[in-house]
Structures are given as structure tokens and as C-alpha cells.
Amino acid sequence: MSSLKLPRRKFLILGAASLGGMLSGCDRLSEAPSFEEFLSSAEWLTYRAQRLIGGRISLAREFAPSDVSPVFKVNGTTMPGSEDYAALRENNFADWRLKVEGLVAKPLELSLADLRNLPQRTQITRHDCVEGWSAIGKWQGVPLSAVLQRAELLPAARFIMFHCADALEQSLDGTGQYYESIDLIDAFHPQTILAHSLNGAPLSVGHGAPLRLRVERQLGYKQAKYIMRIEAVATFSAIGRGKGGYWEDRGYEWYAGI
Ligand SMILES: Nc1nc2c(c(=O)[nH]1)N[C@H]1C(S)=C(S)[C@@H](COP(=O)(O)O)O[C@H]1N2
Ligand SMILES: [Mo]
């Protein structure tokens, strides 16, 4: 235990110094048992190193319209197989609602129109997949912070989970369902958006219609497509196989910084 004290304190001091007042309450991260467990794992060294090098609020590079890739590859699920999803798609997602729940004071159910009526952000960024390809695209959507502010996170919230419509693997216990998670630093980052459009058009099914995450300082597999439900949690150890995401459950790093 005592070996943990120094790094933790350093983490806090650096966090407070670089974040300033922007993310009030983010220092509470250090109190969560789950975060302490995380800090005691080997992975936190990578996490901390990336945070220190990149800075906790540094921006991902943004590109010019002329840099947009003529073709943006589709990867992973290209068409969720469920009947529920098929019914939503047939109706052009008019009946789709984004659920925002878990550790929030005001659970929300938002339609695509609701999301388009919230503040919007457009950003041209590069997507990097671990499989070795990249593509530059123009994403438009709602900053996740705007949604979370409306839902009012409760003090115990530490991570934001994204539950998707697709299963990449047909597991009996449901652990083949795609999901992802990010911490509150990335959740409130200005370039973290719930994107409904790519290159000026509503998301195609291949790219994650009707809504997908863009968390620009991390790798492709963090960019959850087909988001159905957002859940604020204190720990994700009881979700899926407990590692915070579909690919994380299969050995990939949770903090997939670029
Ligand atoms: N729901 C869901 N999200 C997902 C995936 C997936 O299979 N299902 N694949 C991930 C991976 S590995 C990548 S590289 C990107 C691909 O996004 P794209 O199809 O828009 O290129 O989505 C990520 N998000
Ligand atoms: Mo990927």
C-alpha cells in the first residue's frame, strides 16, 4: 500500500496543476476504490505516462477540409444483427432514443432531433486503428460534456460506459456485446463528441448509425459505434468481463492513447 502513496500524490498534484478549474471534481477520481485498483495495476504506468506526455487537456490534431480521406474504411461490425436494430433502422432511427442513466441525478432519453438541438461541434480528425490503417474524417455531433451536464453526474460517478447495439461474438452471457468506457477526463474533453454525422451526412450504418463516440486522443476501438445507452458508473468490474470494453476484455489496453 505505502508504495502507492507517492505516485498517487504526484498524479493528483500534476492533475490539479494542469487542469485548473476546468474539470471540477476530477480530483475525486483518486478516492474511488476502482481507480485505486487501477492505479495498482501495471497498466497505470502507461496511462500516467500518456497523460503526462500528452497533457491532460491537450487537443488532438485537427485537419483541413482538403485533408479528408476520399474513403473512410468501415471496420468491425458493419451491420448490427439484432431485430431491434433492424426495426430502428427501417424507421430511419425516428424511434431510437439515447438513454443516459446510471449515476446521474436526471436520467435522459434523447432523440436524434434532441441531440441536434444541443450545442454542436465539428472536427476533422484522424482515426487510427490498431490493425494498421488510418483515415481522416469530418465528424459532427454533441460534446459529451453537454449531455452529461444535463444528466447531472452524481459524485460517485468515475467512468462513462457506452453500450452498443451490436454483438461481435455470440456469447451466452452477453459478454460478446460491444461496449466501451472512458474516464471523466476524456468524457469532459472538448473533442469528445457523440457524433451523428460524418463528412456532412448522417452516419451510415457501417460507420455506426445513428450515433457513435469520438474520443480523439485514443485508438479506433474506443470509438464506440451504434450507441444505445450511456451509463455513469463508479466501477466497471461487473460489466462484460470487467476490463472496460469489448476489446479490453480480450486483452487490449483500456487507455488506448495515441
Ligand atoms: N459498436 C462497435 N463499435 C466499434 C467497433 C465495433 O465492431 N462495434 N469497432 C471498433 C474499431 S476496431 C474501429 S477501428 C472503429 C471503426 O469505425 P469505422 O467502421 O467507422 O471505420 O470502430 C470501433 N467501434
Ligand atoms: Mo480498430
Side-chain angles (χ1 to χ4, degrees):
M1 246 324 188
S2 61
S3 64
L4 263 180
K5 270 181 190 153
L6 182 62
R8 206 165 65 226
R9 201 172 302 130
K10 267 191 192 159
F11 185 90
L12 254 183
I13 292 164
L14 287 161
S18 53
L19 260 181
M22 180 200 159
L23 227 185
S24 67
C26 91
D27 57 336
R28 289 195 310 256
L29 278 173
S30 63
E31 291 161 19
S34 57
F35 201 69
E36 290 203 353
E37 275 163 37
F38 172 63
L39 290 183
S40 70
S41 72
E43 203 188 327
W44 90 272
L45 286 171
T46 319
Y47 175 83
R48 181 168 164 269
Q50 300 248 19
R51 287 299 197 199
L52 291 181
I53 292 163
R56 286 156 73 88
I57 55 167
S58 67
L59 296 175
R61 181 172 169 199
E62 294 196 15
F63 295 80
S66 57
D67 296 322
V68 168
S69 303
V71 176
F72 199 116
K73 194 174 141 77
V74 159
N75 203 36
T77 299
T78 55
M79 169 70 79
S82 76
E83 281 177 23
D84 286 353
Y85 184 84
L88 291 170
R89 180 173 47 87
E90 255 159 51
N91 210 7
N92 217 6
F93 302 104
D95 302 322
W96 172 89
R97 295 289 180 277
L98 173 70
K99 290 197 177 72
V100 185
E101 54 192 32
L103 297 174
V104 296
K106 295 183 178 162
L108 307 173
E109 287 206 11
L110 303 169
S111 67
L112 273 175
D114 293 335
L115 288 166
R116 285 176 178 275
N117 281 329
L118 288 174
Q120 302 287 300
R121 181 178 164 87
T122 301
Q123 57 203 31
I124 302 176
T125 54
R126 196 184 68 204
H127 174 106
D128 295 306
C129 173
V130 283
E131 288 169 21
W133 58 273
S134 300
I136 293 175
K138 183 174 88 171
W139 302 98
Q140 189 193 335
V142 187
L144 178 59
S145 61
V147 171
L148 295 178
Q149 272 153 13
R150 279 162 181 79
E152 297 179 12
L153 288 185
L154 295 174
R158 294 291 183 277
F159 301 99
I160 306 300
M161 315 294 301
F162 302 89
H163 298 281
C164 306
D166 58 317
L168 267 181
E169 199 180 278
Q170 299 301 325
S171 59
L172 284 178
D173 60 1
T175 57
Q177 202 71 22
Y178 205 94
Y179 75 103
E180 259 304 338
S181 62
I182 58 176
D183 65 18
L184 296 187
I185 298 170
D186 269 331
F188 284 89
H189 186 278
Q191 289 170 317
T192 299
I193 65 173
L194 296 169
H196 51 69
S197 297
L198 171 60
N199 298 336
L203 285 183
S204 65
V205 169
H207 287 303
L211 196 73
R212 66 106 45 94
L213 178 65
R214 292 303 308 171
V215 48
E216 302 291 357
R217 296 175 309 170
Q218 297 201 53
L219 287 168
Y221 61 89
K222 300 297 288 190
Q223 324 296 324
K225 306 195 277 189
Y226 317 113
I227 300 174
M228 307 302 284
R229 188 161 66 86
I230 291 178
E231 184 188 11
V233 299
T235 163
F236 45 69
S237 57
I239 298 173
R241 296 179 190 166
K243 298 293 197 301
Y246 176 89
W247 284 114
E248 290 84 336
D249 284 341
R250 287 154 184 82
Y252 286 32
E253 277 187 288
W254 176 75
Y255 188 76
I258 296 175

